[in-house]
Amino acid sequence: MKILINNDKTKNKNLEYDENFWTGKKKITYDGIVLNKLNKNTYEYNDGTTVHYFELKGNYLFGITIKMFENIVQIREKLSYLEIILSVLVLLPGIFFGAIGGAIGGACFVLNIFLISQQKNIWFKILISVFLIIICLSLSYIMAYLVFKTLF
C-alpha cells in the first residue's frame, strides 16, 4: 500500500508512506529522502542541514498517523464499523467447520479487510463481502467433506 500526501501539514512537500500488507515492512520518504528508522515507531529525517524526527502511530486496522513538525498527518483512516461488521460476517461461516474452516475464514477475513478498505462505494463493499462469504462457506464445506470422506 503506497500513499502519497502533499498538503500544508507536510509543508507542501511529498510525504510517501509505503507498507507491505503481508510483512508489515514500512518505508517513509519525505521530499525525496528516505527516512532512517531509529526504532519501531520513530524515523529520522536528515537533509544534511537539519534533523527532524517523525513519529509513526497506529496500524492498518486503527488508522495510521505521522507526527511531523508538530503536526499530525493522517495517512490512513481507521476502519468504519460497517467494514468491521462485514469482515466478521465473512469470518463466521468458516468457524462452524472447525480448525480448517477457521483458517479459511481467517484468510478471507484479512482479504476482505484489504479489499473493502480500498473501496469508496458502500454497495461495492457489501458485494465484495457477500462474494467472500460464499467463497469461505464453499471452501470450508469442501474441505470438511474431503476430511470426512477420507476418515470414514
Side-chain angles (χ1 to χ4, degrees), residues 34-47:
V34 177
L35 303 182
N36 298 324
K37 186 173 185 176
L38 297 178
N39 60 31
K40 184 178 178 184
N41 295 325
T42 306
Y43 291 81
E44 178 186 42
Y45 170 71
N46 187 354
D47 63 355

Side-chain angles (χ1 to χ4, degrees), residues 88-107:
V88 169
L89 288 175
V90 168
L91 175 66
L92 286 178
I95 292 175
F96 293 119
F97 289 97
I100 295 173
I104 293 169

Side-chain angles (χ1 to χ4, degrees), residues 73-148:
V73 179
Q74 184 78 31
I75 301 295
R76 187 187 182 296
E77 295 182 14
K78 64 181 181 177
L79 292 177
S80 68
Y81 289 112
L82 176 69
E83 292 170 341
I84 293 170
I85 290 170
L86 289 173
S87 296
V88 169
L89 288 175
V90 168
L91 175 66
L92 286 178
I95 292 175
F96 293 119
F97 289 97
I100 295 173
I104 293 169
C108 289
F109 173 82
V110 171
L111 183 63
N112 191 51
I113 288 175
F114 180 71
L115 291 176
I116 68 174
S117 65
Q118 297 176 351
Q119 304 302 320
K120 300 292 181 200
N121 189 345
I122 191 168
W123 295 108
F124 199 59
K125 290 180 183 189
I126 293 172
L127 184 66
I128 290 171
S129 297
V130 168
F131 180 69
L132 283 174
I133 287 171
I134 293 169
I135 288 175
C136 178
L137 188 62
S138 300
L139 286 176
S140 298
Y141 178 78
I142 290 169
M143 292 304 291
Y145 176 77
L146 291 175
V147 167
F148 281 124

